[in-house]
Amino acid sequence: MRFAPSPTGDLHVGNIRTALFNWAYARHGGGTFVFRLEDTDRSRSTDEACAAAADTLRWLGLDWDEGPEVGGEYAPYRQSERAAIYAGVAAQLQETAAAYPCFCTPEEVEARRIVAGRATPGYDNHCRSLLPEQVAAYGAAGRRAALRMRMPAGETRFRDLIRGEVVFDNVTIPDFVVVRADGHPLYTLAVAVDDVLMQITHVLRGEDLLSSTPRQMAVYAALGVHPGDYPQFGHLPFVMGHDNQKLSKRNGEVSIAWYRREGFLPEAIVNYLALLGWSMPDEREMFTLAEMAATFDVDRVNRNPARFDVKKLEAINGDKIRALPPADFAYRLVEFLQGAGLVATPPTAAEAELVRAAAPLVQERCSRLTQAASMLGFLFLDDAHFYLDPQARAKVLSAEDAPAVLRAAGAALVTVEDWQAAGIEAALRSALVVELGLKPRFAFGPLRVAVTGSAVSPPLFESLALLGREATLARLRAAL
Ligand code: GLU
Ligand code: ZN
C-alpha cells in the first residue's frame, strides 16, 4: 500500500482519509505502508509542504514503513529525486515505440480542433505516425518534442477493489504526454513507474484518479509488466460537503493543520475520517486506530459518497477528550495554554501543578482543547492581563444589586478558614442564598463574572479554590 500526496499545500480531509485507509489496509494484512511524495509539479510543490505532510501523518499516528526520513529499499521516495529513473524509462518507451515524440504546441492542437469542428478539447494523435524525416525536420527547425504514450486500441478492464468491474474504451483516452518538451516527466509516468518499482500491490485512492488508471495500465503494459502483477486499485468515493458537492475549500474543507490548531485530537480525526466510507463490523462509532487496523477490510468500504459533517467530528472529539486519562488531557492542554501565552515554555513547576489541578474542571465540559484552554485562562492571568468579557460585564455586573452581592461575597470569603471548594461553597451559600435570599443564579452570576471574567466558567467553587483567596478578593475589589 502507499500514500502518495502531491505536496502542494496542507493535507486535507480527503487526503488523510486516503492515507488512513491505505495505512489500515497495510496494517491489517501485515503489508508495507509506503509514503511517497509526488512532487513532479515543481512549480506548485514546496519543501515546507513535504515536511508538513510528514508531520501531519506522524501526528495522526499513521506511521510509514518506507518513505521520507525512514528510507527503504526503493529510495528515494520523493519523485523530484528520481528524475534519472524516469528519464531512463522514457528512453525505453521511445525505443520500443510505446511512446512517440510530439512536436505540437497547445496552440496548434487547439487550432486544429477548431478547424475540425470537434467539440471536445484534447489531442488528435497528430504526431502518432510521423515519418523519421518529419521528425528530423522538426528537430532541424529547433523544435523540441514532448513524449506521448501511444494508447493501444481496445479496452482497459480491471476489477476495482471497491467498484467492481470497470471498463474503459481506449478510444476515449487520447495519447497522453508523459514527458514534457522541456524534459520534465509528468505524474502519469512517475506514478506508474514508482508503483511498479516500489512493488506496490494495492492502491486505494480518490475516485478523481479513476481516469488515470487506464493510462497507468498502458504504461505498465509498455514496461512489460504482466497484467497479473499490476497493483490492484480501489477508488474511494468522494467526500461531499454540506451542500452535497465534492468537499473543497469552497464548501468548507480546511486543512488537517487547522483542526490541530483548533484543538481537535488526532484520535478523533482518524476515528471520524474512518467513518467516511467505512464502518466497523459491529457498526460501533468510537474506536482507536489499532482497533480499526485490526478489523479493516476493503469489503466494508462503502461505494456511495460520504458526507463530511464537522459537528459530528466535534462530537467525537468531545468524547475522545472525555476518554483521555486525566494526566494525558492535562498534558495536551499545556500546548494550548502555551499557544495562548498563558503558560511558559516549558511550564514552571507551579504552572504545571495548576494545570494538573485545573484540568479535571474542564475535561467533561469541552469539545475542543482550545475551549478548555480558554475556560482556564483566568487562572493563569495576572492582574495586568485579566479582563472582563464586555458582554458578561454589561449583562451581569451592571445589574442593580450586583455591587451588594459582590460585597457580601467578599465579606463571606474573608471568613473561610479552609480555602477549599466545600468551605467556600458553604460560606457563599449562607451569605448570599440564605441571608440575602437570592436565587443561586443571581447570587453566583456576578461573582463568576468578576472572578473568571466570563459568564461561562468551570465550576465556580473549585475555580475559586484554585485561584486562591488573595486573587479572588482582589478581583472582587477590582470589579466593584
Ligand atoms: N499524487 C496524487 C495526488 O495527490 C495521488 C496519486 C495516486 O494516489 O495515485 O493527487
Ligand atoms: Zn503532436
Side-chain angles (χ1 to χ4, degrees):
M1 312 294 308
R2 48 58 166 193
F3 173 53
S6 301
T8 55
D10 286 335
L11 295 179
H12 284 244
V13 164
N15 303 116
I16 291 301
R17 193 215 19 187
T18 297
L20 175 64
F21 283 23
N22 282 285
W23 177 90
Y25 203 17
R27 292 290 170 263
H28 179 69
T32 303
F33 181 54
V34 177
F35 171 32
R36 181 173 75 221
L37 290 161
E38 302 206 319
D39 59 344
T40 50
D41 186 347
R42 298 301 288 154
S43 62
R44 294 176 61 225
S45 305
T46 65
D47 287 347
E48 294 75 50
C50 290
D55 190 46
T56 296
L57 288 185
R58 231 188 335 261
W59 179 67
L60 293 169
L62 304 178
D63 57 327
W64 56 98
D65 306 306
E66 292 176 26
E69 298 169 29
V70 305
E73 208 175 323
Y74 308 108
Y77 291 90
R78 193 169 160 173
Q79 290 185 331
S80 56
E81 294 168 13
R82 300 172 63 79
I85 296 172
Y86 309 132
V89 171
Q92 182 190 336
L93 292 174
Q94 191 165 355
E95 228 159 81
T96 60
Y100 59 87
C102 164
F103 294 90
C104 306
T105 64
E107 294 73 28
E108 288 167 341
V109 173
E110 177 61 8
R112 286 200 303 267
R113 181 187 72 80
I114 292 168
V115 169
R118 270 186 300 116
T120 46
Y123 190 59
D124 55 1
N125 297 357
H126 177 266
C127 302
R128 212 174 214 244
S129 21
L130 291 183
L131 300 168
E133 45 274 32
Q134 290 174 297
V135 172
Y138 274 122
R143 291 185 62 164
R144 300 188 58 184
L147 191 63
R148 272 188 201 273
M149 277 303 287
R150 190 186 302 278
M151 198 62 199
E155 57 184 30
T156 304
R157 186 180 281 273
F158 62 95
R159 208 185 66 78
D160 188 282
L161 293 166
I162 293 158
R163 306 162 66 94
E165 195 73 5
V166 177
V167 186
F168 284 91
D169 183 342
N170 290 359
V171 166
T172 62
I173 305 167
D175 292 349
F176 54 96
V177 174
V178 286
V179 180
R180 276 209 307 249
D182 63 5
H184 197 94
L186 293 185
Y187 158 74
T188 324
L189 177 66
V191 73
V193 168
D194 286 352
D195 283 344
V196 170
L197 292 182
M198 294 178 182
Q199 310 256 328
I200 302 297
T201 55
H202 297 77
V203 174
L204 298 179
R205 60 180 181 180
E207 198 171 280
D208 49 327
L209 290 161
L210 183 61
S211 64
S212 168
T213 305
R215 293 172 167 82
Q216 279 169 245
M217 289 182 171
V219 177
Y220 303 151
L223 294 178
V225 179
H226 184 273
D229 293 335
Y230 293 0
Q232 284 186 268
F233 286 89
H235 291 90
L236 301 167
F238 286 132
V239 179
M240 313 303 259
H242 51 75
D243 56 359
N244 266 334
Q245 302 294 310
K246 183 174 182 265
L247 189 64
S248 70
K249 279 185 192 155
R250 195 181 33 74
N251 58 10
E253 182 175 44
V254 289
S255 68
I256 299 297
W258 183 86
Y259 289 106
R260 182 178 183 174
R261 284 194 301 277
E262 287 300 310
F264 287 83
L265 303 186
E267 293 95 324
I269 295 174
V270 292
N271 187 151
Y272 178 64
L273 294 188
L275 296 173
L276 293 180
W278 182 77
S279 58
M280 277 286 203
D282 62 3
E283 305 282 335
R284 186 156 48 103
E285 293 211 318
M286 282 279 283
F287 45 82
T288 64
L289 262 187
E291 288 166 340
M292 180 189 185
T295 50
F296 187 82
D297 192 332
V298 80
D299 289 348
R300 295 195 60 81
V301 174
N302 201 313
R303 295 167 70 161
N304 302 317
R307 175 95 59 89
F308 182 76
D309 177 0
V310 73
K311 290 209 182 70
K312 174 109 191 228
L313 168 59
E314 186 151 348
I316 289 181
N317 201 51
D319 290 341
K320 294 278 183 186
I321 285 178
R322 284 182 282 284
L324 288 175
D328 189 359
F329 173 66
Y331 175 80
R332 299 192 203 208
L333 212 48
V334 167
E335 183 189 329
F336 287 87
L337 290 165
Q338 287 169 331
L342 296 164
V343 159
T345 307
T348 65
E351 285 169 340
E353 173 55 27
L354 188 52
V355 175
R356 197 196 54 71
L361 303 187
V362 289
Q363 186 168 4
E364 302 287 325
R365 288 182 171 70
C366 64
S367 55
R368 301 183 187 193
L369 293 173
T370 43
Q371 284 168 352
S374 92
M375 277 200 283
L376 291 182
F378 74 95
L379 286 172
F380 297 90
L381 289 171
D382 57 25
D383 289 347
H385 294 93
F386 179 75
Y387 71 99
L388 303 175
D389 167 54
Q391 251 181 321
R393 173 185 178 153
K395 186 153 172 256
V396 182
L397 286 189
S398 55
E400 206 181 316
D401 61 349
V405 176
L406 292 184
R407 256 182 234 110
L413 290 174
V414 173
T415 67
V416 174
E417 274 170 26
D418 183 18
W419 190 259
Q420 305 279 342
I424 293 170
E425 176 169 6
L428 288 173
R429 280 196 191 281
S430 129
L432 305 180
V433 181
V434 180
E435 282 178 35
L436 291 187
L438 295 168
K439 292 213 173 78
R441 184 155 73 90
F442 294 107
F444 303 130
L447 186 57
R448 184 188 304 278
V449 173
V451 173
T452 70
S454 163
V456 193
S457 82
L460 182 62
F461 312 119
E462 283 82 355
S463 295
L464 301 191
L466 286 178
L467 185 62
R469 188 192 320 250
E470 237 180 277
T472 300
L473 293 175
R475 285 185 190 176
L476 284 183
R477 280 193 299 274
L480 278 163

